[in-house]
Every structure is written in C-alpha cells, then in structure tokens.
Amino acid sequence: MGKFTVAIVCLLAALQASSGFSPAGRVGTLVAPTSSAASNTKAFRSPFANSIDNKCSTSSSLYMSEGDAAAAPKKSFMQKMKAKIPPANERKKLIPLASMFFFILFNYTILRDTKDVLMVTAKGSGAEVIPFIKTYVNLPAAIGFTALYSKLCDRMEQKDVFYACTIPFLFFFAAFAFIIFPNVGMLHPHAFVDKIALALPEGFGAPLAIVRNWSYAVFYVMAEMWGSVVASLLFWSFANEVTTVDEAKKYCECEMT
C-alpha cells in the first residue's frame, strides 16, 4: 500500500511540472504556467514580424529622405545654367565641332539658293534643265564619289579623309567666285553650241544648255554634293571619330538605347 501511494504522488508531481495544474485537481485549483513555458512563448516569433519591422523602418527612412529633400534649397537659374556648361577639357572639343557644323550649314544654305538661280537664269537654259542635270550629271558624280570615298577610308584615317574630301570643295568654290564666274562669257562655248543646236532636234535643248553653261553645271553638282557629302557624311564621321560614347550620350538630345 505504501509503495502504491508513493507512485501516485510521483505521477501527480510529474503532471504538475508538465501541465501546470495543481495536484489537487479535484478541488479545481488552476496553477499558473511555469517559467519555462513562458520563456518558450516569448522565444517564439512569427517570421512575418521581421518583414513588418523592415517595412516600417524603410517607410520611416523614406519619409525622412523626402522631408530632407523638401527642406533642401532649390537651385537658382544661374546655378542650373552653370551646371549645364561643359568643363574646360570638353569645351576644347565641343566649340570647334559646333563652329565647323555652323559654317558647313551656312555655306550649304548659300549654295543651295545660288545653284538653282544660276542654272535657271543662264543663257539658253531654263527650269527644264534641272531634271537633266540631276539625272545625267549629279547621279554619276555621286556614284563616283562613293567609290572614291571607300578607297580613301581603306587607306587613310577618318580625319585625313575629312580634310582630303573637304579641301577640294573649298578650292573649287573659291576659284568659281574669283576666277570662273567673272569670266563666264569667255569660258562658256555659246557660239559652238549654237551651231550644234541647228543640226539637232529641239529635244536636245536641255543637254545643250548644260554643255553651254558647263561651269554653272559643275557648280550645281558641287553644291548638291556639299549638302549630301560634307554636311551629312564627312562631318558626322569626323565627329564620331573624335567623340567618345559618354560625351555623345551627354550632349545628344535623343535617347540612346
């Protein structure tokens, strides 16, 4: 009997330690959980609690950064303009390129307006000459220049190609202004073309006008090629050669993807 009583007492003690209930279970006394259970409850933490804390800290830091940005003073107009001015090492490259492009377009504007006036108002010529000179003179000249340009690019650097192709244009326009145009009456074969025109049908009037005013025809072709060759091809090839990719992204207005 005594051994049986001792076993019951040990069992009740074990139940008290595990469940927290009093051995006097029949009386109904509830004992508070032990300290070990409480420590286990505190030690358990939901995995979402860390993410919530991180979001709260991020949002608070975001609000602080927005507040700091709002509190920062705005830049004045002069400060914004100074920020857009390129540094000295880039100005040494940017200003000459801008000047070159300005004068190339300035010359093209004058040449474009002058070439049509010379051909249309020349002796024995008219507006019907323009289609013939574009087809039978300008097109072969453009094809020939393309072949020449390819050869030059294979044998020379791009900056040397630019100079080699641009200098002949400048020499011709200078010679036309100071030598050819003042002496067109002597240089144009009007008498010879008049004799040939008597033996040919009237449909040859436009080709004969090109031969009659050959200097104007050459000027017309050179002016056309100045816009398509120098302004479009040679300048941008030269600018691409001397400009880096970062500088192009910085100063080009279009988005480069």
Side-chain angles (χ1 to χ4, degrees):
M1 184 66 181
K3 294 181 180 180
F4 182 74
T5 303
V6 172
I8 293 174
V9 171
C10 292
L11 179 61
L12 293 175
L15 291 173
Q16 181 184 8
S18 61
S19 61
F21 289 97
S22 171
R26 294 182 179 181
V27 181
T29 305
L30 181 64
V31 180
T34 59
S35 60
S36 62
S39 62
N40 292 331
T41 304
K42 292 180 182 179
F44 176 75
R45 186 175 179 84
S46 174
F48 298 100
N50 294 328
S51 63
I52 295 174
D53 293 340
N54 293 332
K55 290 181 179 179
C56 294
S57 61
T58 304
S59 61
S60 62
S61 62
L62 179 61
Y63 291 147
M64 292 177 63
S65 62
E66 290 179 354
D68 295 339
K74 295 183 178 180
K75 293 183 179 181
S76 62
F77 177 76
M78 294 301 297
Q79 290 177 347
K80 293 180 180 179
M81 293 299 296
K82 289 181 180 179
K84 293 182 179 180
I85 297 176
N89 59 339
E90 295 182 0
R91 289 199 299 267
K92 294 179 180 180
K93 183 186 302 182
L94 184 62
I95 293 176
L97 286 175
S99 302
M100 288 172 57
F101 193 56
F102 170 77
F103 286 112
I104 288 173
L105 294 182
F106 179 78
N107 292 338
Y108 176 66
T109 303
I110 297 175
L111 296 173
R112 181 186 59 189
D113 298 335
T114 306
K115 63 183 178 62
D116 294 326
V117 174
L118 289 176
M119 284 304 303
V120 172
T121 61
K123 182 179 178 181
S125 181
E128 68 275 4
V129 178
I130 302 300
F132 282 88
I133 195 172
K134 283 183 176 290
T135 304
Y136 299 106
V137 181
N138 194 15
L139 181 60
I143 296 175
F145 178 82
T146 302
L148 178 62
Y149 179 77
S150 300
K151 294 294 184 180
L152 293 177
C153 290
D154 293 338
R155 300 180 180 180
M156 302 170 63
E157 296 182 359
Q158 189 60 45
K159 61 179 181 179
D160 297 331
V161 173
F162 176 81
Y163 297 137
C165 295
T166 306
I167 291 176
F169 281 93
L170 299 178
F171 274 116
F172 171 77
F173 292 132
F176 182 85
F178 296 102
I179 300 174
I180 298 176
F181 185 74
N183 301 303
V184 290
M186 182 177 59
L187 295 175
H188 289 176
H190 295 293
F192 175 74
V193 175
D194 290 336
K195 292 180 181 180
I196 297 177
L198 296 175
L200 294 176
E202 294 182 358
F204 286 86
L208 291 176
I210 296 175
V211 177
R212 181 194 303 271
N213 304 289
W214 64 269
S215 64
Y216 295 164
V218 176
F219 181 86
Y220 189 97
V221 173
M222 295 294 284
E224 283 281 336
M225 293 183 64
W226 178 269
S228 59
V229 171
V230 179
S232 300
L233 177 63
L234 293 178
F235 172 78
W236 290 112
S237 299
F238 178 77
N240 185 50
E241 185 72 16
V242 301
T243 307
T244 61
V245 177
D246 295 335
E247 293 173 348
K249 291 181 179 180
K250 183 177 180 181
Y251 296 109
C252 186
E253 294 181 358
C254 60
E255 295 183 359
M256 301 181 64
T257 57

